[in-house]
Amino acid sequence: MGIEEKLPSGFLLSTVEGLAGYFRKGSFWPATFGLACCAIEMMATGAGRYDLARFGMEVFRASPRQADLMIVAGRVSQKMAPVLRQIYDQMPNPKWVLSMGVCASSGGMFNNYAIVQGVDHVVPVDIYLPGCPPRPEMLMDAIIKLREEIQAMPLGVNREKAARAAEQAAMNALPTIEMLPASARRGAHELNPGIPVGLEGGAR
């Protein structure tokens, strides 16, 4: 059973955006970029047991100028943040970011001054993957979901507007601790007085 049996009279109608999304989602080239223990799971995903090559992603590029997917695998320190941003800026458009693991997504257990509390404060994130560390199956599932998003992404001016809006929203995002309810912030403040309570709970 081939595709010709699914098409009436052998014709297929589509849009330029649909075709571009189809080809883009099938030719991911991730950047070789690992920060902590999540990178071990990312390496396992590309090995023979899980075979990421099935999705056209067997080529982890050593140069950001040849990559279009950044998998932030692990915690991001304040010293590493400008390096990460530089690598992101060197990647050609269109490009996507996958935040792998709870440390990259929200700082995880490292709620201190040395760790960025969410990589979305540095680069715009397209999809978040929870876990500590996430299993290779979870990474593959996140990549499949990202492929579905790419299939429906706009092109040209619409794509540029969407990218600018996403990056601006990421830069304006609240710190993770401020997203918690007031009661949870007060509890965290009691455990660590250095954590701000918020405007309604006292001086910052």
Side-chain angles (χ1 to χ4, degrees):
M1 179 181 291
I3 191 173
E4 66 277 0
E5 298 180 14
K6 301 287 186 180
L7 302 177
S9 303
F11 287 96
L12 174 65
L13 300 178
S14 182
T15 62
V16 174
E17 288 186 346
L19 287 174
Y22 178 80
F23 293 125
R24 283 175 175 173
K25 77 174 186 177
S27 60
F28 266 155
W29 280 6
T32 305
F33 188 73
L35 294 174
C37 39
C38 282
I40 305 299
E41 300 295 324
M42 180 179 68
M43 295 174 203
T45 309
R49 183 181 180 91
Y50 298 97
D51 192 19
L52 203 58
R54 289 177 291 169
F55 305 102
M57 294 183 59
E58 67 273 20
V59 184
F60 276 77
R61 307 307 296 177
S63 169
R65 291 176 177 85
Q66 298 176 352
D68 50 16
L69 173 65
M70 173 184 282
I71 302 176
V72 183
R75 59 190 179 271
V76 182
S77 65
Q78 297 288 354
K79 284 188 174 182
M80 192 63 181
V83 179
L84 185 145
R85 179 69 203 201
Q86 182 180 13
I87 293 175
Y88 174 82
D89 290 337
Q90 290 175 348
M91 293 169 61
N93 286 316
K95 53 191 172 185
W96 298 274
V97 176
L98 190 155
S99 178
M100 182 179 179
V102 67
C103 292
S105 300
S106 64
M109 68 189 80
F110 303 100
N111 190 6
N112 56 50
Y113 66 92
I115 301 299
V116 176
Q117 300 300 299
V119 72
D120 52 5
H121 294 286
V122 183
V123 294
V125 176
D126 295 284
I127 189 165
Y128 296 87
L129 172 60
C132 184
R135 293 276 302 157
E137 297 94 334
M138 298 172 66
L139 177 58
M140 293 173 68
D141 181 67
I143 290 170
I144 291 171
K145 286 182 169 58
L146 182 58
R147 283 160 55 97
E148 294 172 358
E149 290 184 14
I150 291 170
Q151 176 70 63
M153 278 185 176
L155 292 179
V157 178
N158 295 329
R159 167 66 180 164
E160 292 175 4
K161 288 180 180 178
R164 283 196 298 268
E167 183 161 6
Q168 190 61 41
M171 297 302 123
N172 295 335
L174 289 173
T176 309
I177 190 66
E178 294 184 13
M179 298 178 187
L180 297 174
S183 58
R185 287 203 297 271
R186 283 193 291 271
H189 180 74
E190 291 173 2
L191 294 174
N192 185 354
I195 296 176
V197 178
L199 297 177
E200 69 281 2
R204 293 175 61 81

